[in-house]
């Protein structure tokens, strides 16, 4: 395998691809959280407004459902924050990468 140096253009293209991918991941995960929240709010409205909590409570499902929702919701929100942290690290790497530094 040939050992050649990465050019500035190649470096910019690679970092751009990675940053674009991370941005898309953040956007899609955000949409997933919004959809998950909206779907669960409809379900919660259904059970709370129609007196169905008694049935869910009797079946010992209400607390499990509420806990499961909170766990998934905050897990997904945390994942978004981790993706944003990854993106910030890549941006910093772009700045620090010797290929991308001017010679003067």
């Amino acid at each position: 395998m040939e050992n050649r140096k990465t050019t500035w253009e190649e470096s910019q293209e690679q970092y751009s691809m990675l940053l674009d991918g991370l941005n898309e991941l953040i956007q899609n995960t955000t949409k997933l959280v919004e959809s998950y929240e909206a779907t669960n709010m409809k379900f919660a409205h259904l059970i709370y407004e129609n007196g169905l909590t008694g049935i869910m409570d009797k079946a010992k499902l209400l607390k499990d459902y509420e806990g499961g929702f909170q766990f998934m919701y905050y897990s997904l929100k945390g994942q978004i924050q981790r993706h944003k942290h990854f993106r910030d690290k890549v941006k910093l790497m772009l700045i620090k990468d010797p290929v991308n530094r001017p010679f003067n």
Side-chain angles (χ1 to χ4, degrees), residues 43-53:
F43 180 72
H45 184 266
L46 172 82
I47 62 173
Y48 289 108
E49 292 297 317
N50 293 302
L52 304 176
T53 55

Side-chain angles (χ1 to χ4, degrees), residues 20 30 82 85 91:
D20 289 346
T30 300
R82 284 187 289 281
H85 177 71
K91 284 180 181 178

Side-chain angles (χ1 to χ4, degrees), residues 33-50:
V33 170
E34 291 167 354
S35 173
Y36 181 75
E37 182 180 29
T39 301
N40 276 277
M41 290 302 111
K42 285 179 188 175
F43 180 72
H45 184 266
L46 172 82
I47 62 173
Y48 289 108
E49 292 297 317
N50 293 302

